[in-house]
Amino acid sequence: MKTLRIATRKSPLALWQTEHVAALLKASHPELEIEFVPLSTRGDELLDRSLAAIGGKGLFLKELELAMLRGEADCAVHSLKDVPMVLEPGFVMPAVIARGSHADAWVSNDFDSIAALPAGARVGTSSLRRKAQLRALRQDLQIDDLRGNVNSRLAKLDAGQYQAILLACAGLERLGFAERIRARLDAPDWLPAPAQGAIAVECREDAADIRALLLALDDADTRCCVSAERAMNRALDGSCHVPVAALARLEGETLYLQGLVGDAQSGAQVRAESRAPRQQAEALGQQVAAMLLAQGAADFIA
């Protein structure tokens, strides 16, 4: 193969992620030419409603997968947290890149923490998971949807539309906005979206040469952790319609998984955690999901 065509969304963060993957590929295959195929997805275009209202995070993938089916692209780069728990038939994910920060970012020009916000303050986030965890801490806040790319969300904060917003640390760091992170929201008190901070590369299942090329980029530790998180989410039938959070960490050869299911309106939540050998990542995810369901998680999911 002389040229690899990579489908990508057009947002600055998506392009950064694609450039990162391209740099890794060039490092191992200096002779390889790489061509970007930037595409606009329905998830990028429909910004006036929440993702849950317009069909979910799979909207960020559809156009990229169609480009691969039409033969216009060889692979596609995604934020793994946006990838549905089950891929469309005919597609595989040969590479999960070494994970960036998994934490959420508290971004505010005036307030150091959630606790410091005045009563009734307006906070922006489109994530039901973040809303549920905010509600558990502060019932009095006004939590409003916030869609768009990182730059536009920061602009809305700076224009005074919100007193604070919640974003992913990884996105801010990758785009050079690390200084905007006022505080990191992290485990055990706050859990991220399953696979947050990880980048995945997808291709057609029948493209053996592409799969072989991409396999060299796969990070075993990251894949282990996100496999447990995504297995938990899959067992819960989780999606952007359900406030599900998960974080897996390796402790030597042992995998430690924490999970949460919440209610974005009341702030009620259930939590569970367990450990298993790293080779049992999928089973660990299913176990923690069963523990959550035993505590009543099904009520939130319903």
Side-chain angles (χ1 to χ4, degrees), residues 57-110:
K57 291 181 175 180
L59 292 176
F60 290 127
L61 276 72
K62 192 65 178 177
E63 280 77 6
L64 280 62
E65 290 175 339
L66 288 173
M68 287 187 278
L69 289 175
R70 292 192 299 261
E72 297 166 2
D74 302 305
C75 62
V77 173
H78 309 295
S79 291
L80 185 50
K81 71 181 179 66
D82 293 336
V83 176
M85 295 307 106
V86 178
L87 292 178
E88 289 291 322
F91 290 97
V92 290
M93 202 163 58
V96 176
I97 312 302
R99 193 177 204 167
S101 173
H102 60 260
D104 275 340
W106 173 256
V107 184
S108 176
N109 293 325
D110 302 303

Side-chain angles (χ1 to χ4, degrees), residues 165-182:
I165 62 175
L166 297 180
L167 298 170
C169 285
L172 290 166
E173 290 166 349
R174 288 164 176 165
L175 292 175
F177 293 127
E179 76 282 354
R180 298 301 301 264
I181 301 173
R182 193 97 177 211

Side-chain angles (χ1 to χ4, degrees), residues 122-124 142 144 146 152 155-165:
R122 191 178 188 212
V123 180
Q142 179 183 341
D144 292 331
L146 175 64
S152 67
K156 290 175 182 178
L157 172 71
D158 293 340
Q161 296 182 33
Y162 305 90
Q163 277 70 60
I165 62 175

